[in-house]
Structures are given as C-alpha cells and as structure tokens.
Amino acid sequence: MTARFDGTTDYVSTDDLTMAVNAAITLERPLLVKGEPGTGKTELARQVASALGLEMIEWSIKSTTRAQQGLYEYDAVSRLRDSQLGDERVNDVANYIRKGKLWQAFEADHKTVLLIDEIDKADIEFPNDLLQELDRMEFHVYETGETVRARQRPIVIITSNNEKELPDAFLRRCFFHYIKFPDHETLRQIVEVHHPGIKRALLDTALTQFYELRDQPGLKKKPSTSEVLDWLKLLLAEDLDAADLKRDGASALPRLHGALLKNEQDVHLFERLAFMARRGR
C-alpha cells in the first residue's frame, strides 16, 4: 500500500500541497517545491518524514556543491599518502570512497525521504548532472566497477527559492508545486500551531500590520512566514497587547520591526512614509 501524507499537527499543509506530496509519492517522481524563502519548504520534507515514520537524509546545496558529491567522492590524495607510508589499505580502493547523500539513500534497507535543499544555489549544470541518477535510481562507481541501485526508492523532495531557472529536462522529471504565501486565515492557523492560545486581539492587530507591511509598494524584501512567527514570539515575550501595537503617526514602522525588515532600504522607506504623513497633516 502506498504511503500517504495527510499533514501533521506541527505543520499546516494546504489541500493543494498535500495533493502534490501524494502525487509525487504515487508517481515515484521527485517533488520540486518552489516558493519564497521562509515559506516552509525545507520543513515540509521533515514533516513528510515524520508523518510517514521515515528517516530523512538531507543534502544542503551550496554554490560550490557538485553533483558528484551527492553520489560519492574518491580520495586519491589519501590513497597516495597511504601508499607512500606502506599502508595495506591502499590495496582496496573502496577504502577511499566517501559515500554521498544519494548513495546513503539508495543503500538504505528501508524507504527514506531524501531532501535536496535549495538546488538553485548550485551551478546551472548541477540539476542536469543528476538527471539519470534520479530517474533510474542507480549510478556507476568507476573506481570499483560496481553499480549502486536503490534498494527502496526514496521519496525525493527538492526545494528551490527560484533564484535561477532550472533546465527543462530536469523539470520534466519532477512533480512541481509552488507554495504560495499563505492567506490571512492560513497564516492564522500556522501561528496557532507555533503560538497556541495567542490572544485574538493581538493576533488580529499584528497580522493586519504584517500584511500592510508586506503589501507596501517598493519593499525590497517582503517578510516571510518564519519572520512573522519570530516577530510574534518577541511580542509575546515582551507581554505586549493589541493597544501596544498602535502606531502614533511618528513612525510607520511596527514595534520590534527588526524581526520583519532585514535591510536598511526598507527601513528608510517606512521612515520616509512617516515623514511625508507628518508633513501632509
């Protein structure tokens, strides 16, 4: 029977996101998840693993990451050093093969969730270099002559912040889902998971200010879901209520705005708005 994801008590999954996860599982295709940073893409993989009772193997991609590292790496330098020292380990090349995250997922005796996180950080050729391995669920180790095949096909979840376009050939092999920024009601549910019992008046006022801030034209970086959760955590820690969030007109910035605005251009934007509002009185 095919495993099915129905969300968890710690993660609010919309109907279309739940459908996308289960479609990818059924098709045995990688699930490519795009969306703004901070919308829960990485956390989705963790929650899928938790809900299905599976081990998660996480491969975090950097700008310097090569696709080969996900398969294996051959440490020729160590082998040369050991040969100079007369170490008997040099007789077996397998001693110098370091298994990558895909190899770990492929050799697992049980099904796993393999997260390839922020694939768009890598070189443009990176996704193409993994096409065959993710499609066939196998790869060849040239140094030992062996072929590594997946014992249990892992559930592959790939995240992207949309920083660069991914190749068409790669996209064809994935089931795609874009996580839209949550609407007011969905965000309220997410907040309730992280801050249960938060006062309704405080939450209403805070979310109103948050969406007004996000919708401000000219904003360089819109605050994300994770940032509004941090902001609310600070408001609760300071024991503030709805009345404390009211702005007096001297500033267009919300209280503790450093949790929401992360660059000086956006702070200056709201300072200018407040200045113009005062001049217009």
Side-chain angles (χ1 to χ4, degrees), residues 146-162:
E146 66 180 307
T147 298
V148 177
R149 295 184 178 87
R151 297 175 184 172
Q152 297 281 342
R153 193 178 188 100
I155 297 171
V156 181
I157 297 178
I158 304 170
T159 72
S160 168
N161 288 328
N162 234 1

Side-chain angles (χ1 to χ4, degrees), residues 250-267:
S251 174
L253 290 165
R255 294 282 294 270
L256 299 165
H257 62 268
L260 300 174
L261 300 176
K262 299 302 176 71
N263 62 70
E264 64 276 14
Q265 295 98 316
D266 289 342
V267 173

